[in-house]
Amino acid sequence: MMVISAFSLGAGLIACVLSFFLHATKPSIQPKIGVIELLQVIKKKLLLYSCLALVQQGVQMATTMSFTNQIIQDLGATNMVIGFSSIIYMLSAVLFAKLASTRFLELLTKKQWIYSSFLLLGIYCLMVPQTGSIFIVCFLQLIPEMGTGILFSLLNSEAIKSIPQ
């Protein structure tokens, strides 16, 4: 656990140092936006897709973060295996987020990706408690991470797509 904590600390420090080199850009013209104009944004797709993203993140936190770790622990996993499970979880989320920005996303329509991701997330929630193998539970973690990487990216992009600049 000490090694994993050291890697986490190192990654956090590197990210902190790199953040000092970020540059903010300022718009050349500050638009005057009223409250009514801001409320009209909510009428569009923003509210629907934001709620879907909220549901996805809620299921994500409840299942993958705590529920799955509890099941793996109940199956007899050591702290090292639980740590590796978390690594699989994070790496697959990054991989699927990368895939969301490639031509891979063109295999299905955005609507089909959203439906299939939620369906797979439901299947994941049903399958994890039924399995008796730590290896299978770790493998199944690829399913909700598709939700994090692809689904969450799609929901956010769809939510803000209809909002004028």
Side-chain angles (χ1 to χ4, degrees):
M1 196 63 175
M2 183 68 132
V3 174
I4 293 173
S5 297
F7 279 126
S8 296
L9 177 65
L13 289 174
I14 290 169
C16 180
V17 169
L18 289 175
S19 70
F20 291 120
F21 298 103
L22 294 174
H23 298 283
T25 59
K26 294 181 182 179
S28 57
I29 301 171
Q30 292 290 341
K32 300 288 183 194
I33 300 173
V35 174
I36 294 178
E37 290 170 323
L38 288 175
L39 291 176
Q40 287 175 345
V41 169
I42 295 174
K43 287 192 318 188
K44 304 189 191 256
K45 296 179 181 182
L46 180 66
L47 190 59
L48 170 68
Y49 286 109
S50 297
C51 287
L52 288 174
L54 182 66
V55 167
Q56 184 271 333
Q57 285 294 296
V59 171
Q60 186 72 26
M61 293 300 139
T63 59
T64 324
M65 296 300 248
S66 58
F67 173 69
T68 304
N69 286 342
Q70 183 63 43
I71 288 177
I72 290 173
Q73 191 174 23
D74 290 347
L75 290 173
T78 63
N79 287 338
M80 183 70 93
V81 173
I82 292 171
F84 281 126
S85 170
S86 297
I87 291 170
I88 291 169
Y89 163 81
M90 295 310 294
L91 286 178
S92 57
V94 170
L95 173 70
F96 281 114
K98 172 63 177 155
L99 286 177
S101 65
T102 64
R103 293 201 180 271
F104 176 77
L105 202 63
E106 296 173 4
L107 293 175
L108 300 172
T109 65
K110 289 182 180 182
K111 191 174 185 178
Q112 289 171 329
W113 275 114
I114 291 170
Y115 286 142
S116 60
S117 294
F118 273 118
L119 177 66
L120 285 171
L121 194 57
I123 291 170
Y124 169 82
C125 290
L126 294 173
M127 287 182 68
V128 167
Q130 303 302 319
T131 187
S133 168
I134 295 170
F135 176 76
I136 292 173
V137 172
C138 289
F139 179 75
L140 287 173
Q141 280 195 318
L142 295 174
I143 294 173
E145 295 327 303
M146 183 174 72
T148 298
I150 294 176
L151 180 61
F152 195 66
S153 300
L154 279 177
L155 292 173
N156 283 320
S157 70
E158 287 297 308
I160 63 171
K161 188 165 54 172
S162 63
I163 299 173
Q165 228 179 12

